[in-house]
Every structure is written in C-alpha cells, then in structure tokens.
C-alpha cells in the first residue's frame, strides 16, 4: 500500500546483473518485520533491508513470509 523511496548510498557499488534477495515477514497489521538479506551484508543489502522495512501492506489474516528480489536495470540510448 505504501513505501519510502529506495536510497542507495552514494559510492555504494551495485553489481550489474546481480539479484539481491531480501526475506521478510508481513505481519497481520501489514507492517514488515525480520528483514534479512539472503547473501552478504554490504551497503546494497543494508539499503534494501531499510527500504523493505518501510513497506506497508493491507492487513492479513496471518503473518506471511515474503522473498523480494531486486536487480539494478540501466538504460542506454544507441543512436
């Protein structure tokens, strides 16, 4: 239902083509808890954990486990 803007810190190196997975639980009230990165603890993983913690979902009948994958995509114009 809502989220903050993702903020990757300046100077934080994102690996092109890498998939960054963050696991977390959506609680019955729609709030996120227990965000953990599947691999690594670098600045990208820390930024993603902070970001998913801002997600707000509609209320659920029970706590639900979620896996969220993120990959940077860049565009280039070929003239």
């Amino acid at each position: 239902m809502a989220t903050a803007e993702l903020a990757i810190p300046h100077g934080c190196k994102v690996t092109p083509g890498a998939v960054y997975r963050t696991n977390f639980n959506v609680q019955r009230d729609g709030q996120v808890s227990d965000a953990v990165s599947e691999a690594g603890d670098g600045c990208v993983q820390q930024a993603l954990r902070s970001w998913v913690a801002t997600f707000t979902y509609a209320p659920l009948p029970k706590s639900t486990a979620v896996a969220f994958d993120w990959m940077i995509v860049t565009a280039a114009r070929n003239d």
Side-chain angles (χ1 to χ4, degrees):
M1 296 184 60
T3 185
E5 186 174 326
L6 173 60
I8 302 291
H10 183 70
C12 183
K13 183 175 170 88
V14 179
T15 304
V19 175
Y20 296 88
R21 176 168 281 184
T22 305
N23 298 302
F24 56 91
N25 293 308
V26 178
Q27 300 303 318
R28 293 180 62 199
D29 64 359
Q31 300 298 307
V32 169
S33 67
D34 308 315
V36 294
S37 301
E38 190 167 277
D41 193 31
C43 58
V44 175
Q45 291 90 342
Q46 291 172 14
L48 290 168
R49 285 193 308 271
S50 294
W51 183 46
V52 301
T54 71
F55 292 7
T56 304
Y57 292 84
L60 300 171
K62 64 178 184 174
S63 178
T64 304
V66 176
F68 183 87
D69 292 335
W70 182 85
M71 178 174 52
I72 194 161
V73 177
T74 55
R77 184 175 178 162
N78 296 324
D79 292 330

